[in-house]
Amino acid sequence: MVSENASSLTGHLPNGLAVVEEAVARACMEARRDRASVTLIAVSKTFGAEAIEPVIASGQRVFGENRVQEAKAKWPALMSVHPGISLHLIGPLQSNKTKEAVALFDAIHSVDRPSLCEALAKEFRSQARRPQLFVQLNTGEEPQKAGVAPSEADSFIASCRDEYGLPISGLMCIPPVNKAPAPHFALTAKIAARNGLKNLSMGMSADFAVAIQMGATHIRVGSAIFGHRG
Ligand SMILES: *Cc1c(COP(=O)(O)O)cnc(C)c1O
């Protein structure tokens, strides 16, 4: 038993996951944070079961997908043979997919508009499921990007709670590409703190160490674990 555990932790970790795990542990140590305070979400979008299986086999249990349809096609079969998987929706959610999303996902990171809140509240009433909810911020105020503008965040978070009765657990952000991510992580952390939200979904393959330094509780790491997406 002991040698089996030892080999599954050393010899058989898929290379990308081992490298990421080590970097996460180092970033936590440098930030004087407990490793358990950071949830690593392995973002498996575009990858099939044959790529996901070894990552599950190595002990990873939290996965992220950005499309409801793709996740529906892949995960029910994987989850039926691997108990204890937690699935996070990290991409935009269309209101007409809310029913499927609430049924499948354990967390939704892309709450960003009243019509979606209304659809989520309806599903929370009719399904016995309560995925953890994150409000997505558009910290770079990029017109093509989803998310709530920083100036509207406080009132949106309040309306999620007060008008729709949705428990919001944290904030998510995707900094603009080719910009230093730290100011975006700092702004997200500041808005979360003043709204009493303790979870911060921020940091991807290129910048998760910075995000951990700035308080991320959930990092969303794809290519550093699975390799380049085709
Ligand atoms: C794809 C994706 C990620 C992972 O990106 P990598 O750079 O591959 O780590 C994280 N967050 C969101 C919202 C994504 O769509």
Side-chain angles (χ1 to χ4, degrees):
M1 287 294 271
V2 170
S3 64
E4 216 172 84
N5 277 339
S7 72
S8 75
L9 286 173
T10 55
H12 302 302
L13 262 196
N15 193 41
L17 181 62
V19 170
V20 169
E21 259 308 333
E22 202 184 305
V24 170
R26 194 182 324 121
C28 286
M29 207 175 70
E30 283 170 6
R32 298 173 190 282
R33 295 184 55 190
D34 191 335
R35 169 66 186 86
S37 69
V38 179
T39 298
L40 170 60
I41 302 169
V43 177
S44 51
K45 65 187 186 195
T46 77
F47 289 95
E50 71 291 341
I52 297 171
E53 284 281 3
V55 176
I56 297 175
S58 72
Q60 177 68 27
R61 286 294 176 275
V62 185
F63 289 85
E65 291 284 344
N66 70 336
R67 289 162 170 268
V68 176
Q69 290 317 109
E70 182 186 343
K72 256 190 91 178
K74 270 164 32 181
W75 281 98
L78 283 163
M79 287 164 132
S80 71
V81 286
H82 301 288
I85 298 279
S86 168
L87 200 58
H88 290 230
L89 179 64
I90 61 171
L93 177 55
Q94 291 169 264
S95 298
N96 64 4
K97 301 254 169 64
T98 309
K99 183 178 187 163
E100 292 163 292
V102 168
L104 181 61
F105 290 96
D106 300 289
I108 296 171
H109 292 236
S110 49
V111 179
D112 68 350
R113 59 194 191 280
S115 59
L116 178 56
C117 290
E118 199 172 317
L120 284 167
K122 177 165 167 269
E123 292 310 320
F124 274 34
R125 284 192 297 271
S126 66
Q127 299 187 40
R129 289 187 46 86
R130 295 286 178 276
Q132 188 181 18
L133 300 179
F134 293 78
V135 167
Q136 180 174 351
L137 298 183
N138 185 357
T139 55
E141 306 197 50
E142 298 169 277
Q144 82 285 5
K145 206 171 258 180
V148 178
S151 61
E152 285 158 21
D154 294 349
S155 64
F156 181 73
I157 293 162
S159 87
C160 289
R161 291 165 167 163
D162 303 339
E163 282 178 50
Y164 300 101
L166 294 174
I168 300 298
S169 91
L171 301 181
M172 181 270 232
C173 78
I174 309 171
V177 286
N178 304 327
K179 287 254 175 74
H184 298 272
F185 296 156
L187 177 58
T188 303
K190 183 173 135 190
I191 294 172
R194 74 178 180 227
N195 284 281
L197 301 174
K198 69 178 186 2
N199 287 310
L200 294 170
S201 167
M202 54 192 204
M204 305 170 34
S205 289
D207 54 23
F208 65 80
V210 180
I212 288 170
Q213 191 71 46
M214 309 201 71
T217 60
H218 295 69
I219 56 173
R220 311 178 307 267
V221 181
S223 49
I225 294 173
F226 289 97
H228 219 70
R229 287 183 290 274

